[in-house]
Amino acid sequence: MHKTLCFFSFLLAGSLSAAAQAYLLPEFKVSVATVKRGGQPIQACFNYNCVTRSMEFKEGEEVLRLDPISHIDTLYLDCHKMIPYGVRFLDVVYASSRFSLLVDYKRIKINKGKKGGMGLTTQGTVENVDFSAYGGRHTEEWKKGNEVWQFRDENTYLYVVKSKMKKFHNEKSLVKLFPEKEDVIREYVKAHAVRFDQPQAVLELLQECLPPEN
């Protein structure tokens, strides 16, 4: 591992106890990254953190951030083809001579409050509860990890055609790219219950906007 990744610097990103919902994959998977200028491919247990928008890898019981990423050409993360884009990675959902669709993953972590007495979730500070009434104690250990979090996807899609890149992230912004297809887009979204956190569904919607191939 160290010999393979020795020309990268490592930044501590957390531990394996980090919330799995922050990551693109449900678990870290052995993946291969090709390197520019004829360098040797890199193999490690990678996963993409959609909250910090950084590629991370597992080494023992630690999770480390891959940085810098300018040496990477393509990282094949399970079924995802990831390419560097500035300081983060894009997922190549589809690529052909006609057009390409890439997704810039972004996941927002929202604090929904704290888990109070009897498992109830409250906004703001948890009220003091006399746990002796329930046969227990309000200990420091109990206080740990009582924050309640929710994750929301806010992906941006990059539609590339004839070397020009256009971005959209929801139904409204897609309609702006294809105003003549507004009715088609709205009807398709409604009929197929399209969610913009599902890249494959977004790809199929985009294909409905394009003229048929010759």
Side-chain angles (χ1 to χ4, degrees):
M1 169 73 75
H2 288 290
K3 291 182 179 179
T4 307
L5 295 173
C6 62
F7 53 90
F8 290 95
S9 61
F10 305 135
L11 297 177
L12 186 63
S15 67
L16 295 184
S17 62
Q21 294 179 75
Y23 292 97
L24 180 60
L25 302 181
E27 60 184 4
F28 282 72
K29 288 202 171 185
V30 176
S31 308
V32 174
T34 59
V35 180
K36 295 177 181 177
R37 293 184 288 275
Q40 290 295 315
I42 299 167
Q43 180 172 297
C45 286
F46 287 104
N47 206 343
Y48 189 68
N49 190 320
C50 298
V51 174
T52 62
R53 301 165 91 180
S54 60
M55 188 64 68
E56 299 175 3
F57 66 94
K58 185 172 64 175
E59 186 170 275
E61 293 302 313
E62 293 183 323
V63 174
L64 305 172
R65 181 179 302 157
L66 185 61
D67 181 67
I69 63 173
S70 56
H71 301 82
I72 300 293
D73 180 71
T74 306
L75 197 153
Y76 297 92
L77 181 63
D78 196 25
C79 61
H80 300 273
K81 181 180 179 181
M82 312 291 290
I83 60 173
Y85 181 69
V87 296
R88 56 187 186 272
F89 279 81
L90 300 179
D91 187 0
V92 182
V93 178
Y94 179 82
S96 71
S97 57
R98 189 183 185 200
F99 76 95
S100 298
L101 179 66
L102 302 90
V103 57
D104 185 1
Y105 293 108
K106 182 180 180 181
R107 193 162 291 167
I108 303 297
K109 187 177 181 181
I110 305 168
N111 190 327
K112 301 296 289 184
K114 295 185 178 182
K115 188 175 294 184
M118 306 303 291
L120 299 177
T121 301
T122 62
Q123 295 293 330
T125 305
V126 179
E127 295 182 1
N128 292 328
V129 179
D130 182 4
F131 271 73
S132 62
Y134 302 104
R137 293 183 300 166
H138 194 166
T139 64
E140 289 299 317
E141 189 64 30
W142 175 86
K143 293 179 184 179
K144 294 179 181 179
N146 65 338
E147 298 284 350
V148 178
W149 298 93
Q150 184 178 22
F151 292 83
R152 183 179 72 230
D153 287 315
E154 294 187 356
N155 301 335
T156 296
Y157 292 89
L158 293 83
Y159 167 59
V160 184
V161 59
K162 296 181 179 179
S163 300
K164 294 183 178 181
M165 181 183 295
K166 301 178 181 180
K167 298 181 180 181
F168 64 96
H169 61 277
N170 57 18
E171 180 180 336
K172 183 178 179 180
S173 55
L174 181 60
V175 167
K176 287 184 178 180
L177 294 184
F178 300 95
E180 73 285 358
K181 294 285 187 176
E182 180 174 359
D183 291 341
V184 172
I185 293 171
R186 298 200 185 282
E187 290 175 8
Y188 188 93
V189 168
K190 183 177 180 180
H192 295 83
V194 176
R195 289 173 43 184
F196 281 77
D197 61 348
Q198 299 177 344
Q200 189 59 40
V202 173
L203 171 61
E204 293 171 1
L205 169 61
L206 179 61
Q207 290 172 324
E208 289 293 316
C209 301
L210 304 178
E213 294 186 72
N214 297 327

